[in-house]
Amino acid sequence: MTAVPRVVALCGSMRDGSHTRTALTHVLDAAEKAGAETELLDVRDYDLPVFDPDEDEPEDAVEIKRKIRGADSVILGSPVYHGSYSSAFRNVHDYCGFDEFEDTTVGLLVVAGGGSYASTLDHMRITVRGVHGWVLPHQVGIRRAYDQFEDGEFVDEDLEERTRKLGRQAVEYAFITPDVTSTEAADEAAADD
């Protein structure tokens, strides 16, 4: 019997009517249709003060970390704020670390009110790699989000397909174990043995 992958999506938007949240529901729908159990983690549902390593973790931080740690794939979604991700997204990410992300498949989705989102995807990728997450090469950036949805549905079929592909790949690569392929890394691994 094949294991059923668990895919969770973190919505890093505090906005009512968030286009990030809407796009993530399409990602999760595609993941579910590909055979996964899914859950949307909405930052608005958690009471998370600004991360302070000197303070005890609040119960909501323990809960959201447990859900992320228990996922086989995690989709991270954020609106674009000033060329980067939202502070709400970053705060959840600050609570998480290696225990939540190491060797976990991670997909990235960002939503921009304007036309630029590349630096946000780069920042997210770098921070996930910093905690040893395995980031899918396929990523989704949505420009001019105010024109992309009508009643919760995509207007552009190509953009919808690109978004849903992220959900399918989260399932397809949920159990992947990336192999070391560079000569230097292989030599270092051999030297450690």
Side-chain angles (χ1 to χ4, degrees), residues 103-136:
D103 295 330
T104 299
T105 300
V106 179
L108 306 177
L109 178 142
V110 298
V111 176
S116 179
Y117 57 72
S119 60
T120 306
L121 287 167
D122 287 344
H123 296 170
M124 291 172 83
R125 181 177 301 280
I126 289 165
T127 60
V128 170
R129 289 300 306 138
V131 288
H132 298 177
W134 190 80
V135 184
L136 290 169

Side-chain angles (χ1 to χ4, degrees), residues 115-192:
S116 179
Y117 57 72
S119 60
T120 306
L121 287 167
D122 287 344
H123 296 170
M124 291 172 83
R125 181 177 301 280
I126 289 165
T127 60
V128 170
R129 289 300 306 138
V131 288
H132 298 177
W134 190 80
V135 184
L136 290 169
H138 180 76
Q139 57 192 12
V140 177
I142 299 174
R143 292 183 172 94
R144 296 178 304 283
Y146 53 84
D147 281 338
Q148 302 302 334
F149 300 97
E150 190 172 295
D151 298 325
E153 298 299 324
F154 278 95
V155 174
D156 181 328
E157 289 180 9
D158 290 338
L159 185 56
E160 178 179 14
E161 172 53 28
R162 182 169 181 78
T163 302
R164 295 183 70 81
K165 180 179 178 180
L166 186 62
R168 292 191 303 271
Q169 285 196 349
V171 175
E172 182 179 353
Y173 297 107
F175 301 118
I176 193 169
T177 303
D179 289 328
V180 175
T181 56
S182 75
T183 306
E184 294 85 12
D187 290 345
E188 286 177 23
D192 289 343

Side-chain angles (χ1 to χ4, degrees), residues 4-9 24-39 73 75 163-172:
V4 175
R6 178 149 179 76
V7 178
V8 301
L24 287 173
T25 63
H26 287 269
V27 172
L28 290 178
D29 181 64
E32 189 172 319
K33 286 181 176 166
E37 293 178 359
T38 64
E39 182 176 5
S73 289
I75 306 298
T163 302
R164 295 183 70 81
K165 180 179 178 180
L166 186 62
R168 292 191 303 271
Q169 285 196 349
V171 175
E172 182 179 353

Side-chain angles (χ1 to χ4, degrees), residues 1-81:
M1 184 169 139
T2 305
V4 175
R6 178 149 179 76
V7 178
V8 301
L10 172 67
C11 179
S13 175
M14 298 295 289
R15 183 176 169 268
D16 287 338
S18 163
H19 298 304
T20 304
R21 194 173 301 108
T22 299
L24 287 173
T25 63
H26 287 269
V27 172
L28 290 178
D29 181 64
E32 189 172 319
K33 286 181 176 166
E37 293 178 359
T38 64
E39 182 176 5
L40 178 66
L41 306 177
D42 191 330
V43 293
R44 299 178 312 163
D45 296 336
Y46 297 89
D47 182 17
L48 295 175
V50 172
F51 177 71
D52 182 345
D54 293 328
E55 295 291 326
D56 290 337
E57 286 189 343
E59 285 183 33
D60 280 1
V62 173
E63 178 68 8
I64 200 167
K65 286 173 60 173
R66 182 188 63 76
K67 289 181 177 189
I68 292 171
R69 189 170 45 252
D72 300 300
S73 289
V74 178
I75 306 298
L76 300 176
S78 177
V80 175
Y81 289 166

